Amino acid sequence: MNLWRTWDGLNRYGDGIDVGEPLLSGAYLAREIETGRVYLVGRSKRWIPDMAVFNLYQFDPQKIVDKYRSQLPGQGPDIPTAR
């Protein structure tokens, strides 16, 4: 589990949310050293705009790894906020 503390509380079926591309095996959370922005990284890096969104998706802050921009893939769409 590179992203969450536990599976408890996760919406695995996409009820009430837009479901995009499936996560890649090995997707992870990264903090871009140059900007301090936190991203969900898989096929692209997807910015998590704030801690409210981070917590909405129940990501684990202890799973964030620091990476240089040059180590990350290109920018994808931002992680959406709640509706």
Side-chain angles (χ1 to χ4, degrees), residues 58-80:
Q58 300 186 24
F59 293 128
D60 184 350
Q62 294 187 350
K63 306 282 174 121
I64 298 171
V65 295
D66 290 326
K67 297 277 187 175
Y68 289 102
R69 181 178 293 146
S70 62
Q71 296 174 300
L72 298 172
Q75 182 79 31
D78 295 347
I79 299 295

Side-chain angles (χ1 to χ4, degrees), residues 10-58:
L10 293 180
N11 182 350
R12 294 186 230 170
Y13 306 105
D15 298 338
I17 61 171
D18 291 331
V19 177
E21 293 289 321
L23 289 173
L24 291 176
S25 176
Y28 62 96
L29 299 168
R31 181 177 19 254
E32 192 174 71
I33 291 171
E34 293 88 346
T35 64
R37 286 182 162 198
V38 176
Y39 294 94
L40 171 60
V41 181
R43 292 176 182 82
S44 60
K45 65 179 185 182
R46 299 185 63 191
W47 182 42
I48 303 168
D50 55 43
M51 285 308 290
V53 173
F54 189 93
N55 291 327
L56 175 69
Y57 288 89
Q58 300 186 24

Side-chain angles (χ1 to χ4, degrees), residues 1 4-12 58:
M1 287 198 316
W4 303 284
R5 288 180 212 106
T6 70
W7 291 105
D8 297 342
L10 293 180
N11 182 350
R12 294 186 230 170
Q58 300 186 24

